Amino acid sequence: MDNERPNLTEDDTELDEETLFIVSQTFKALGDPTRIRILNLLAERECAVSEISDTLHLSQSTVSHQLRFLKNLRLVKFRRAGTSIYYSPDDQHVMALLHQAIHHACHD
């Protein structure tokens, strides 16, 4: 990612209410440490709720609640396999943003 702003026409500089809402909700999602931890884990591998819970030492209720929030924003997707539900990232743009933020935080 470079620091240049994409070419926008004058008409594109005004953001509509829906776009503003989606952007603010995306940053809200990334503003929570638990959701960041979940997304970071899902960036590594697809996981079931129980695996996320065990790996991150969180209750299954907490994980399910956070996954529901992320799913409603279309940041994660799921697939069923028998009785298990597996989650993975659903928006590579947001995952790239998350990785950039983590990379930024790790530098002095």
Side-chain angles (χ1 to χ4, degrees):
M1 277 173 109
D2 56 25
N3 290 329
E4 292 182 24
R5 187 173 172 160
N7 291 332
L8 297 175
T9 66
E10 195 170 308
D11 293 337
D12 292 333
T13 59
E14 289 296 319
L15 299 173
D16 62 63
E17 291 300 315
E18 181 180 0
T19 301
L20 286 170
F21 179 75
I22 292 169
V23 170
S24 69
Q25 290 299 297
T26 300
F27 279 107
K28 179 179 177 182
L30 296 178
D32 181 86
T34 300
R35 289 191 286 266
I36 292 170
R37 293 175 67 211
I38 291 170
L39 286 170
N40 192 52
L41 176 61
L42 294 178
E44 294 177 15
R45 64 184 185 276
E46 180 182 68
C47 296
V49 172
S50 59
E51 185 179 358
I52 297 168
S53 175
D54 292 345
T55 302
L56 300 180
H57 308 290
L58 299 167
S59 72
Q60 286 195 11
S61 174
T62 296
V63 171
S64 293
H65 173 76
Q66 299 300 343
L67 286 169
R68 188 169 33 259
F69 184 89
L70 294 168
K71 187 170 59 102
N72 287 340
L73 289 173
R74 297 184 322 214
L75 300 182
V76 298
K77 60 186 174 184
F78 67 94
R79 69 171 180 88
R80 292 184 189 274
T83 59
S84 297
I85 299 176
Y86 293 91
Y87 289 86
S88 60
D90 193 25
D91 189 314
Q92 293 309 312
H93 297 104
V94 173
M95 295 307 290
L97 181 61
L98 175 63
H99 285 117
Q100 286 292 322
I102 292 168
H103 183 72
H104 172 75
C106 291
H107 280 74
D108 292 338

